[in-house]
Amino acid sequence: MQSLSLRQTRLTINCDQKLTRVVTSFVENAGICFGLEPESALDLTLASEEIFNYLSFTGVQGEQLTLTCRQGGYFVDLEFEFHSEEFGLSMFNLTAANSVENDNAVLETGLLIASRLVDRFSFFRQDSLSMLILEKEKSYPTIGESLEKQPGPLKNSVIKRPDLEEVKLFVRYVTQNYGACVVPSSFQTPGKVADMVKYGHYDVAIASDNSGAIGGGIVWSWKNEKLVEFFGPFVFGQREYSTIPVELADHMISSIARTTAMGLMTQSPSPDLPTDYFEPLGAISSIKPGQESCESNSYYRHLREDPGTSVWAHRLIEEFLIQEYRKHVLARRINLVTSEGENKSQDSVIATELDKSISKATLKPIWWGHDDLSLLHAHIRALVQEGVFNIFFEMDLGRPWECHFTTSLLGSGFEPRLILPYAGSSDILIFQHIGSAGVL
């Protein structure tokens, strides 16, 4: 199955409030053309209106900004490129609330509204150019409660790439047979998974026989050009000691072997994973109050010789990194970040990914500032009040500014747990909040 090419369109426009209708018309039409339903396209349009209004009032009059709208298959993203040193990004925090004492209160209320209308956001700054990217997903029906008839043991099975109807059936089998701890949250919407396969976000292989029965499968996706993450293998209706899990793993590895990938990783292995193929990276404990508790190892496999690389770190976690890199035989030069009186921003910004089905939140730093400790405390309080007890923080060790969160992370109850090689611009270090689950 070949993934489809994705389209994009671009608008460059003066930062002038009188041109707001040009912006909203552009975003709404692009969103619908790229697959959003009218309701979702309207959300993205209203978000763009609030941001354009903010930039029109706070930016330099007549300054140009560029909007790029991209088709993502199961989502549409909208990128703003602009020159502004004072963009109110802190309103995108999960814990943000408007303040009437601020002169820009009305405009910041607009940013707060915009942040709640989209599913994800990211922010980058290069020299004086800022880039804000908003993502809005298509709506899909959830999987429902009706059960599919369980397939029996396959005869003369083969491993193959499924068509899209087989993908959706495979997804239903997986959700019937495995717990939420090992199943991607996207599997709650089979149509979304089909689109992710169609547009190249997922690769899937299934075990099938001549009758068309599906006895198992495995899913993988590229986190970046150096690392592939996978889910599974999943097997259903087969005899004990079936060779299908090994056949699926072999197929996946051979499909990736001649690519640019340095490694293969899973953070949520299924019970059917042939663990002899992989090295354990470490374990994370998770709990959903009143339900199952998960103790899950992460596994990694080198696909080629590791040439080594450099990472950044705060001195408070240097020893942890030395021990982990030694244990996993990963050649890394550790450069230490320092604070030597230089200026830093007032506000920190953290993006939050929520998976309430397993009571999990992953915090990802967007911007670092003076208020990082209070912001982390506020996020922990808000998440625990929402019943989210498994709270993680992902630090990209290839971005030195992210390492400045370390002191506040340790001071607010987080501990470093495991390293994911090449999962970001370099390695990703996973911190887990200790105590929010009440069992760790």
Side-chain angles (χ1 to χ4, degrees), residues 234-302:
F234 304 108
V235 181
F236 15 82
Q238 304 306 300
R239 295 187 177 90
E240 194 174 6
Y241 306 118
S242 166
T243 60
I244 285 178
V246 171
E247 293 171 20
L248 288 167
D250 283 339
H251 179 90
M252 173 182 64
I253 291 169
S254 65
S255 298
I256 300 167
R258 295 183 179 180
T259 67
T260 60
M262 296 289 299
L264 188 58
M265 175 200 71
T266 182
Q267 295 185 74
S268 50
S270 82
D272 297 301
L273 178 73
T275 54
D276 291 348
Y277 278 37
F278 302 90
E279 301 171 13
L281 288 174
I284 282 178
S285 300
S286 305
I287 190 169
K288 188 173 182 180
Q291 297 188 27
E292 61 181 317
S293 175
C294 301
E295 175 77 18
S296 59
N297 277 294
S298 293
Y299 288 91
Y300 181 79
R301 175 177 172 135
H302 286 291

Side-chain angles (χ1 to χ4, degrees), residues 181-252:
C181 291
V182 300
V183 177
S185 58
S186 59
F187 276 36
Q188 293 304 310
T189 48
K192 176 179 175 179
V193 178
D195 271 351
M196 294 176 81
V197 174
K198 182 178 181 180
Y199 289 96
H201 300 286
Y202 275 166
D203 274 311
V204 182
I206 60 170
S208 180
D209 65 11
N210 291 335
S211 71
I214 300 173
I218 194 166
V219 179
W220 65 96
S221 68
W222 289 76
K223 285 188 76 70
N224 54 50
E225 64 179 10
K226 291 185 177 179
L227 184 67
V228 174
E229 183 175 22
F230 69 95
F231 306 93
F234 304 108
V235 181
F236 15 82
Q238 304 306 300
R239 295 187 177 90
E240 194 174 6
Y241 306 118
S242 166
T243 60
I244 285 178
V246 171
E247 293 171 20
L248 288 167
D250 283 339
H251 179 90
M252 173 182 64

Side-chain angles (χ1 to χ4, degrees), residues 4-8 34 70-75 199-201:
L4 299 181
S5 59
L6 300 173
R7 298 169 294 171
Q8 67 175 30
F34 292 165
R70 287 181 286 256
Q71 181 186 26
Y74 69 96
F75 67 92
Y199 289 96
H201 300 286

